[in-house]
């Protein structure tokens, strides 16, 4: 599993996250908090979950044995924000996410092919809740991207239902074509 491919998928994940943020910031707080029987139950809670999952996995990959997003209660699904010190506003989430994305970039720049084979242990808060799971670092890195796509699809569905006028284009091919057009414009 080449490092370059994983880095590309994370580049796409970052681009999609930014697109989601741009679409969601156009909504009212009431629209962000409208309840739905999908995802984490609202756009806001789903974004918190997406951010928190990426936070927890990065912290674990960096060596924290028991990562928990500040404001989350341990042992519960990431992004629960049921504890003290949680994220209180959309602007705060945007700021924290931007900083976290730079940390992901820094992490991925140091990644080696050998490291992809290393095992990472983590106590599960979802499937197999409470059990310690061992997974190859490369598979964790892929999971972060596929989890982001899954959660993004839920958020886009909710955006449609609240009547958002600007839905994010989340396809990798769109990013690739946009980048190729930028290169062509430079020539």
């Amino acid at each position: 599993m080449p490092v370059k491919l994983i880095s590309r998928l994370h580049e796409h994940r970052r681009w999609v996250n930014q697109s989601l943020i741009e679409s969601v910031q156009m909504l009212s707080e009431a629209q962000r908090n409208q309840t739905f029987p999908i995802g984490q139950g609202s756009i806001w809670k789903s974004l918190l979950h997406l951010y928190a999952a990426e936070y927890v996995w990065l912290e674990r990959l960096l060596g924290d044995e028991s990562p928990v997003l500040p404001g989350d209660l341990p042992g519960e699904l990431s992004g629960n924000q049921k504890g003290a010190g949680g994220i209180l506003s959309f602007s705060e989430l945007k700021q924290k996410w931007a900083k976290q994305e730079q940390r992901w970039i820094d992490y991925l720049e140091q990644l080696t092919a050998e490291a992809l084979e290393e095992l990472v242990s983590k106590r599960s808060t979802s499937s197999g809740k409470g059990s310690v799971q061992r997974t190859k670092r490369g598979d964790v890195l892929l999971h972060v991207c596929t989890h982001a796509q899954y959660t993004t699809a839920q958020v886009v569905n909710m955006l449609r239902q609240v009547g958002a006028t600007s839905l994010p284009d989340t396809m990798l091919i769109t990013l690739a074509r946009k980048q190729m057009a930028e290169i062509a414009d430079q020539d």
Side-chain angles (χ1 to χ4, degrees):
M1 180 182 324
V3 171
K4 191 173 180 176
L5 176 60
I6 287 177
S7 293
R8 179 64 170 162
L9 291 172
H10 279 270
E11 178 185 11
H12 176 248
R13 177 191 54 76
R14 284 190 306 276
W15 178 74
V16 169
N17 285 348
Q18 185 58 43
S19 296
L20 278 179
I21 288 168
E22 289 170 9
S23 292
V24 171
Q25 76 184 9
M26 302 300 188
L27 302 177
S28 68
E29 190 170 336
Q31 288 172 308
R32 286 186 206 127
N33 289 300
Q34 184 175 332
T35 58
F36 296 96
I38 59 173
Q40 301 307 308
S42 71
I43 292 170
W44 173 246
K45 288 180 181 179
S46 294
L47 288 178
L48 284 173
H49 173 69
L50 180 56
Y51 168 76
E54 292 175 8
Y55 172 92
V56 166
W57 278 116
L58 180 57
E59 291 300 312
R60 183 60 202 103
L61 291 168
L62 291 169
D64 184 343
E65 302 246 342
S66 301
V68 176
L69 178 69
D72 276 2
L73 292 180
E76 294 196 25
L77 197 61
S78 297
N80 67 75
Q81 295 292 280
K82 295 178 183 177
I87 299 170
L88 300 176
S89 69
F90 185 69
S91 63
E92 182 182 3
L93 176 62
K94 281 178 26 180
Q95 290 172 349
K96 287 181 179 290
W97 218 330
K99 289 179 185 174
Q100 179 169 286
E101 291 297 12
Q102 186 56 55
R103 292 181 68 227
W104 270 106
I105 290 167
D106 295 344
Y107 173 81
L108 291 165
E109 285 176 351
Q110 304 301 315
L111 190 62
T112 65
E114 297 77 28
L116 295 176
E117 298 301 316
E118 296 170 355
L119 293 178
V120 175
S121 298
K122 182 181 173 296
R123 187 168 305 279
S124 179
T125 57
S126 57
S127 59
K129 187 174 180 175
S131 64
V132 175
Q133 305 288 330
R134 293 172 45 102
T135 311
K136 287 184 181 181
R137 185 177 305 270
D139 288 332
V140 168
L141 289 163
L142 290 174
H143 167 71
V144 171
C145 294
T146 59
H147 175 269
Q149 283 297 306
Y150 179 81
T151 305
T152 294
Q154 294 171 334
V155 172
V156 169
N157 188 333
M158 289 183 250
L159 284 166
R160 277 189 188 97
Q161 293 182 54
V162 298
T165 56
S166 175
L167 294 176
D169 185 343
T170 62
M171 303 304 288
L172 176 63
I173 197 71
T174 302
L175 172 61
R177 289 173 178 162
K178 184 176 183 176
Q179 290 172 329
M180 291 302 294
E182 290 169 2
I183 291 169
D185 288 344
Q186 292 173 359
D187 292 340

